[in-house]
Amino acid sequence: MNDRSLRNVVISLGKKADGFPREDHFMITVASEIMAVLCLAESIEDLKNRIAKMVIGYNLDGNPVTVADLEIQGAVAMLLKDALKPNMVQTLENTPAFIHGGPFANIAHGCNSILATKLALATSDYAVTEAGFGADLGAEKFMDIKCRKAGLAPDAVVIVATIRALKMHGGVDKKELKAENIEALEKGFANLRRHVENVRKFGVPAIVAINRFADDTEGEIAKLEELCAELGVKISLCECFAKGGEGAEDLAHKVVELIDEEKTNFKPLYDENDSIVDKVNTIVKEIYRG
């Protein structure tokens, strides 16, 4: 079995309306620029304009060729007219959730669609959204790109961490993570401290949610609470894996309290009119300490 056969599938093996049976393959749409612009678009017209500006190659003179040059932005947008609509699902506990888009953060902004977020905000008292790939790359792009383009100002940030991960950052081998190791936890806490510092650069209050594992000891939990207290950040012990939504009730209450007590003073990290070089330098120095 070669690599090609692992990717290819035979489709349309149903009724006549399903089309002609053929061999096809999966495209990694989340690693596509089209996925990125779809998640930033706020209307079909906006989507069409963003698609038109995409560079698809260069001519023999070395000048960029855009989708607009090919005059196919309307056709591409038409293919995406239904994909542009946010998709609502429900969790096992019947909580509504929008799952709509999600371009890879290593090639784009790594967030779900602006349309889904705004729809969630319009239909609920509190909207929770994800900015993955860590509180450096993920949060930075969420703040600097998505929030700026959408005109949104987040009220609070939840930084998720585990004691296991912090011990690994402190030098513990993966096979030894079950054993209590306060020293490694303290050493690895430097990673969590950096993420908290990064979030605070955007003027948004933060809380740390500890995703508890069965092997976490009371001593390790107490030490982590102590370290977070010294940093001046609230902490919540979450047991969602074992208890479902009930395991995150404490976090929910503390997030609401944080929003009520500390007002956001959100501001992007760099000015939108800065040069690309200046923007990159700012991110490298402020977020990654380069």
Side-chain angles (χ1 to χ4, degrees):
M1 183 179 291
N2 58 34
D3 185 52
R4 177 178 170 79
S5 65
L6 288 173
R7 298 194 305 269
N8 285 17
V9 292
V10 178
I11 64 173
S12 301
L13 295 179
K15 300 177 182 178
K16 184 177 180 180
D18 294 323
F20 294 100
R22 66 186 188 278
E23 187 175 337
D24 211 322
H25 59 280
F26 291 107
M27 300 298 291
I28 308 180
T29 54
V30 286
S32 164
E33 187 177 357
I34 293 177
M35 169 73 90
V37 299
L38 182 140
C39 288
L40 290 174
E42 299 202 49
S43 67
I44 190 70
E45 198 61 38
D46 185 20
L47 176 62
K48 191 188 299 183
N49 291 334
R50 291 177 182 276
I51 291 171
K53 297 175 183 177
M54 289 172 55
V55 175
I56 57 92
Y58 293 86
N59 61 24
L60 294 177
D61 294 324
N63 297 317
V65 177
T66 66
V67 173
D69 292 328
L70 303 180
E71 299 183 357
I72 59 171
Q73 62 268 30
V76 177
M78 181 56 66
L79 290 173
L80 298 171
K81 65 181 178 64
D82 292 326
L84 187 62
K85 302 172 184 176
N87 181 48
M88 178 181 277
V89 299
Q90 64 177 345
T91 68
L92 291 175
E93 296 182 352
N94 304 315
T95 303
F98 291 107
I99 298 179
H100 191 221
F104 279 167
N106 55 352
I107 60 97
H109 56 290
C111 311
N112 75 322
S113 74
I114 288 175
L115 279 175
T117 299
K118 288 194 170 182
L119 189 54
L121 286 165
T123 54
S124 60
D125 295 322
Y126 296 90
V128 180
T129 188
E130 180 190 14
F133 272 53
D136 38 30
L137 186 152
E140 184 273 316
K141 290 190 173 186
F142 173 78
M143 306 282 196
D144 280 328
I145 300 176
K146 179 177 178 177
C147 289
R148 188 201 305 266
K149 294 299 181 184
L152 299 172
D155 294 295
V157 170
V158 177
I159 302 173
V160 182
T162 67
I163 288 175
R164 289 168 58 89
L166 294 176
K167 289 195 292 187
M168 284 186 70
H169 287 304
V172 176
D173 186 90
K174 190 175 182 179
K175 298 177 182 178
E176 307 297 328
L177 290 175
K178 292 184 178 181
E180 181 177 87
N181 194 324
I182 303 294
E183 183 180 350
L185 175 62
E186 288 188 86
K187 186 177 179 181
F189 185 76
N191 182 278
L192 181 56
R193 180 185 295 111
R194 182 58 55 84
H195 285 309
V196 173
E197 291 171 355
N198 284 348
V199 167
R200 285 175 171 169
K201 288 177 182 287
F202 294 95
V204 183
I207 182 172
V208 172
I210 299 302
N211 184 14
R212 185 173 189 176
F213 278 67
D215 300 315
D216 297 344
T217 69
E218 293 301 324
E220 289 172 334
I221 293 171
K223 172 54 68 173
L224 186 53
E225 290 177 338
E226 177 188 321
L227 292 169
C228 285
E230 292 175 359
L231 193 58
V233 62
K234 291 185 176 181
I235 187 173
S236 176
L237 195 62
C238 298
E239 300 179 276
C240 309
F241 183 82
K243 301 178 180 179
E246 179 187 346
E249 284 186 9
D250 177 69
L251 174 63
H253 289 300
K254 286 182 177 177
V255 168
V256 172
E257 291 173 3
L258 183 65
I259 292 173
D260 291 339
E261 294 171 2
E262 296 187 38
K263 298 303 178 184
T264 183
N265 186 29
F266 171 67
K267 59 184 185 303
L269 196 64
Y270 54 79
D271 189 290
E272 191 172 25
N273 296 317
D274 288 347
S275 68
I276 291 178
V277 172
D278 288 340
K279 290 175 182 176
V280 172
N281 275 330
T282 298
I283 293 170
V284 169
K285 293 175 181 177
E286 295 295 328
I287 300 298
Y288 298 100
R289 310 305 199 273

